[in-house]
Amino acid sequence: MTYETPLSRETRTVVSPSSIVVGAGAVEQVGEYAARHGTTALLVATEQIFEFHGDKVIDALDTAGVESVSYTDVRPDPTVENIESAYELWKRHDCDVLVTLGGGSSIDTGKGVGILASNDGEIRDFGVDRAGYEGVPEPTPPLIAVNTTAGTGSEATRSVVVSDESTSTKFLIVSENVVPDIAIEDPELTVSLPRSHTAFTGIDALTHAIEAYVSVNAYDIPDSSAEEAMERIARSLPVAWANGDDLDARADMLVGQLQAGQAFTNSSVALVHGLARPLGAQLHVPHGLANALILPYVAEFSAMAAPEKYATVARILGAADESDTTREAADKAAEGILRLCDDLDLTGYLDDFGEVPSRERYLSVVDEMTQDAIDSGSPANNPRKPTSDEIRDLYIDIYDDALAPDSPRRS
């Protein structure tokens, strides 16, 4: 691949946690790291994850002499209210270090608390629609992310996604000042992840890797992370989904999703994420499931604009081989993605989140979703720049092919 702006003629800042602790039993080190940064920790988690793993974290903190208070009301898609409530607990107990336990929802809630703890304003003030990129002036207090999913990669990123229930939208915060200080990756903590969420978070990680790889902001360093992430996810996600007790597959997925997170936070996401936030907000489905519904269609739409990149994606996913020309292979990327999503029965989980709206109801909000997608800025990073009509057509294709009860992907 030849880059128009090689690194010899430009400056890049590579963003990453200062320390990454990987391996079975890594959670036992959370207390040691917390004690280096403070004496009173706010532990942020969903209630379910806290029930599974909260005692391990609290015991590690206690052993290290760190007092803790827990906020366990995190929603699967964290809300403005989640962040504000957790921040009130932070202030009330005079905390000085943040520990998150869980996946992207817990980590994003912790990042949000950190933003409010270090900066003046309401959390909505720091969204890219108001403050732009790098719109968080001061870094969060010390933040340790104990990851339990594979995953959002949020423990390695400068992104925060927040749901605003007052407007049924999600907004994005992007800043180097929210990157966690420590990422703890313990595969034993992911064994409790249900099969459905193994699928959602795994496809979320794959989406991060692919979008970072094809983004107009791509360059060699995140490309290397993205390629290796795709390889790990392609070989280990089906295994981890089929047999959740396979620690080797779980560990491989943890590393792969971390690499995917590092890839997109140093490159960018693109059209899939632009479409996924409005779709997820309207359907009330997890972000990874929204990505899975969209990713094959965006790959089909975009392949002509980045054929070498999409050819590599197709070959990694086993949909093409060296006998295919670059363009032939690129056109098979969508097929490879779709096959993986179908192997994980992703559309089969739609009924778990309520009734899919009628086509008439869906069409009534397509224009709104289209504008929200454009306003996010993510479609501008796509190798093929979509018009508003093309985004609208993609949303309609996704409904007809994947969401409608009689659609091909659900039948």
Side-chain angles (χ1 to χ4, degrees):
M1 191 66 174
T2 301
Y3 292 88
E4 295 181 0
T5 52
L7 294 177
S8 60
R9 296 200 296 274
E10 65 180 10
T11 299
R12 299 276 191 173
T13 299
V14 179
V15 176
S16 179
S18 58
S19 296
I20 300 170
V21 188
V22 183
V27 67
E28 297 171 8
Q29 297 187 38
V30 65
E32 173 190 340
Y33 280 99
R36 297 180 189 179
H37 294 284
T39 59
T40 306
L42 175 65
L43 175 59
V44 176
T46 66
E47 185 175 357
Q48 184 179 33
I49 291 296
F50 186 82
E51 289 176 359
F52 277 117
H53 305 301
D55 287 345
K56 297 185 186 75
V57 175
I58 290 174
D59 288 347
L61 293 169
D62 286 344
T63 299
V66 178
E67 295 183 3
S68 62
V69 59
S70 301
Y71 177 81
T72 60
D73 198 30
V74 174
R75 293 272 299 277
D77 291 295
T79 64
V80 170
E81 183 182 6
N82 281 152
I83 291 169
E84 291 174 344
S85 298
Y87 175 54
E88 288 303 315
L89 199 60
W90 165 276
K91 289 193 297 183
R92 191 181 316 142
H93 292 270
D94 197 24
C95 298
D96 51 17
V97 60
L98 280 158
V99 178
T100 65
L101 173 66
S105 297
S106 297
I107 298 169
D108 281 0
T109 303
K111 289 177 178 179
V113 172
I115 291 169
L116 296 181
S118 298
N119 299 273
D120 294 329
E122 300 179 354
I123 194 65
R124 195 71 173 82
D125 296 334
F126 302 96
V128 295
D129 56 336
R130 295 188 184 181
Y133 289 85
E134 298 303 329
V136 179
E138 298 296 330
T140 70
L143 174 56
I144 301 168
V146 182
N147 187 26
T148 65
T149 68
T152 66
S154 187
E155 73 277 19
T157 74
R158 55 195 180 112
S159 303
V160 188
V161 180
V162 184
S163 296
D164 187 340
E165 292 185 321
S166 67
T167 59
S168 295
T169 61
K170 296 183 181 183
F171 63 92
L172 177 67
I173 300 170
V174 179
S175 174
E176 292 178 22
N177 283 331
V178 305
V179 179
D181 298 276
I182 312 295
I184 294 181
E185 311 282 0
D186 188 334
E188 293 180 338
L189 301 187
T190 69
V191 170
S192 63
L193 199 65
R195 176 176 280 188
S196 58
H197 285 71
T198 297
F200 302 157
T201 56
I203 293 297
D204 193 18
L206 180 66
T207 305
H208 292 154
I210 292 174
E211 291 229 276
Y213 193 57
V214 303
S215 166
V216 297
N217 299 310
Y219 62 104
D220 356 21
I221 295 173
D223 272 6
S224 297
S225 296
E227 286 186 10
E228 190 166 345
M230 287 187 281
E231 290 169 359
R232 289 181 184 275
I233 294 164
R235 72 182 176 226
S236 294
L237 177 54
V239 178
W241 181 82
N243 178 11
D245 293 327
D246 190 316
L247 271 186
D248 290 336
R250 292 288 195 186
D252 207 30
M253 279 300 301
L254 272 178
V255 175
Q257 65 86 37
L258 176 68
Q259 291 172 317
Q262 290 176 310
F264 89 78
T265 207
N266 286 293
S267 175
S268 70
V269 291
L271 180 56
V272 176
H273 276 73
L275 297 177
R277 294 184 199 101
L279 184 70
Q282 290 291 340
L283 298 181
H284 304 290
V285 299
H287 178 63
L289 178 53
N291 280 341
L293 294 168
I294 296 165
L295 182 58
Y297 304 94
V298 170
E300 184 177 39
F301 173 82
S302 305
M304 68 173 67
E308 292 184 8
K309 290 292 188 72
Y310 277 105
T312 300
V313 171
R315 290 180 175 121
I316 288 174
L317 294 177
D321 56 33
E322 295 307 320
S323 67
D324 293 296
T325 66
T326 298
R327 184 58 189 270
E328 289 170 344
D331 288 341
K332 294 180 179 180
E335 174 189 328
I337 294 165
L338 188 59
R339 184 170 63 224
L340 177 58
C341 290
D342 288 347
D343 284 348
L344 305 180
D345 193 28
L346 275 153
T347 55
Y349 296 115
L350 278 168
D351 291 336
D352 296 340
F353 299 95
E355 187 176 345
V356 173
S358 68
R359 194 174 193 273
E360 181 181 12
R361 164 67 183 139
Y362 183 85
L363 290 178
S364 74
V365 297
V366 162
D367 287 342
E368 178 185 342
M369 291 195 296
T370 297
Q371 190 59 52
D372 287 344
I374 293 168
D375 290 344
S376 75
S378 295
N381 301 324
N382 207 59
R384 180 179 172 185
K385 300 293 188 295
T387 65
S388 59
D389 285 344
E390 287 170 333
I391 290 176
R392 191 177 189 280
D393 288 345
L394 282 167
Y395 272 132
I396 294 171
D397 287 345
I398 290 161
Y399 185 90
D400 290 340
D401 291 349
L403 287 172
D406 58 351
S407 62
R409 287 180 66 184
R410 296 191 70 186
S411 58

